[in-house]
Amino acid sequence: MSKKEVETTGHSWDGIEELNNPLPRWWLLVWYACILWGIAYTVAMPAWPGIKSATAGVLGWSTRAEVAEKIASFEEMNAAVNAELAAADVTMIKPGSDVHSYGVNMGAAVFRANCSQCHGSGAAGNFGYPNLLDNDWLWGGTIDEVAYTIQHGVRNETDEARYSEMPKFGADELLTDEEIDQAVAFAMSLSDPEGDGTNLVGGTYDVELAAAGAEVFEYNCASCHGEDGTGDIYQGAPDLTDAIWLYGGDHDTVYDTVFNARFGVMPAWGQRLTQAEVNAAALYVHQLGGGQ
């Protein structure tokens, strides 16, 4: 008996014909098993997307529920220390204690999730957002003052927020353009110990204008920034004699500040975080080295 020849598929390339061999039985079985497994999976597990949600699956499994369960388990484990941290007077928490160590680690996570977007991942600040590593702190840099600022925020809509507002000397026509130029030059001269027309941050100004601006500053700015320009942290008025200028110390930037004023806002984190998280964030920020 002659061996049955395999038929071809009818395809031919350069005289080479393709044989129509059947697929291996093991391969077909695996393929059919995969199809059955896929059908079973889409029935049992969340799979098919809809307009607002996906099919839940008969097993009701959910990644969100699994994460929530893990979070709840950790919260249960840390409930006692969280309660102690929330009830504690932050000024009385001793560095090196278990509560302090836990709070600093917890505060680091709180900071990364809620504060680093403005103050930077290393807390060194950004344009318009204060550096938390130095000692130039409006509203006070002690641990309890830091905790209050985090709790209630700055210039937001809550009654307890830290609040100050600089007049818009130009936009509201409180000063003439000439007076603004004079005030700007004098303000820049306050951070120029040499008096040579270049301040500590490299901004240049007109020395003659600065001399004329002393009177403008005295009548319009000294009530907040002080006669010597060293500021008043409890009014939210920054020190104009140092090299730390939140929005920049060059002429154009200072002019814009005097003309339009600044009004930075910080959320009242006490409305979004637990008391333990607020206290933890204060501990973390304060131990970075800035403040008092």
Side-chain angles (χ1 to χ4, degrees), residues 6 19 69 73 83 97 179 203 241 289:
V6 178
L19 298 177
E69 183 179 347
S73 67
S97 65
E179 289 173 324
T241 67

Side-chain angles (χ1 to χ4, degrees), residues 123-210:
N126 288 300
F127 178 81
Y129 301 99
N131 182 349
L132 305 182
L133 305 177
D134 59 30
N135 295 323
D136 200 13
W137 282 60
L138 295 180
W139 315 110
T142 61
I143 182 66
D144 54 329
E145 290 167 336
V146 173
Y148 186 96
T149 301
I150 295 172
Q151 179 87 25
H152 301 293
V154 179
R155 302 186 192 96
N156 54 55
E157 297 179 352
T158 62
D159 294 335
E160 295 83 7
R162 307 284 198 185
Y163 197 91
S164 65
E165 186 170 0
M166 178 177 173
K168 299 177 181 178
F169 288 106
D172 290 340
E173 300 181 348
L174 301 176
L175 295 176
T176 65
D177 289 340
E178 182 182 10
E179 289 173 324
I180 292 175
D181 280 331
Q182 293 171 346
V184 167
F186 181 78
M188 294 179 67
S189 74
L190 292 171
S191 59
D192 176 14
E194 303 298 329
D196 60 359
T198 302
N199 64 12
L200 293 174
V201 292
T204 57
Y205 65 93
D206 188 303
V207 176
E208 293 184 3
L209 275 180

Side-chain angles (χ1 to χ4, degrees), residues 37-280:
W37 181 88
I39 294 172
Y41 183 89
T42 59
V43 172
M45 305 293 285
W48 296 102
I51 296 176
K52 294 184 177 180
S53 62
T55 55
V58 296
L59 297 181
W61 182 81
S62 167
T63 53
R64 290 179 179 272
E66 189 175 67
V67 171
E69 183 179 347
K70 290 182 178 180
I71 292 174
S73 67
F74 280 104
E75 288 180 345
E76 184 179 354
M77 286 190 294
N78 295 325
V81 67
N82 280 333
E84 184 177 357
L85 180 59
D89 179 348
V90 289
T91 63
M92 301 303 291
I93 299 176
K94 295 181 179 180
S97 65
D98 290 342
V99 175
H100 185 272
S101 298
Y102 174 81
V104 169
N105 281 281
M106 178 183 182
V110 173
F111 184 90
R112 286 192 295 269
N114 301 281
C115 316
S116 62
Q117 294 83 354
C118 294
H119 293 287
S121 59
N126 288 300
F127 178 81
Y129 301 99
N131 182 349
L132 305 182
L133 305 177
D134 59 30
N135 295 323
D136 200 13
W137 282 60
L138 295 180
W139 315 110
T142 61
I143 182 66
D144 54 329
E145 290 167 336
V146 173
Y148 186 96
T149 301
I150 295 172
Q151 179 87 25
H152 301 293
V154 179
R155 302 186 192 96
N156 54 55
E157 297 179 352
T158 62
D159 294 335
E160 295 83 7
R162 307 284 198 185
Y163 197 91
S164 65
E165 186 170 0
M166 178 177 173
K168 299 177 181 178
F169 288 106
D172 290 340
E173 300 181 348
L174 301 176
L175 295 176
T176 65
D177 289 340
E178 182 182 10
E179 289 173 324
I180 292 175
D181 280 331
Q182 293 171 346
V184 167
F186 181 78
M188 294 179 67
S189 74
L190 292 171
S191 59
D192 176 14
E194 303 298 329
D196 60 359
T198 302
N199 64 12
L200 293 174
V201 292
T204 57
Y205 65 93
D206 188 303
V207 176
E208 293 184 3
L209 275 180
E215 184 176 355
V216 179
F217 184 90
E218 179 182 359
Y219 285 108
N220 297 276
C221 315
S223 58
C224 292
H225 291 285
E227 293 181 2
D228 58 357
T230 54
D232 181 354
I233 62 173
Y234 298 108
Q235 289 191 71
D239 185 349
L240 305 180
T241 67
D242 59 21
I244 302 174
W245 289 63
L246 190 59
Y247 295 94
D250 61 280
H251 176 274
D252 291 344
T253 301
V254 178
Y255 186 95
D256 188 42
T257 297
V258 176
F259 193 94
N260 295 306
R262 305 289 182 178
F263 197 76
V265 176
M266 175 178 170
W269 288 106
Q271 296 183 349
R272 310 183 188 192
L273 304 175
T274 66
Q275 189 60 52
E277 289 172 328
V278 169
N279 290 350

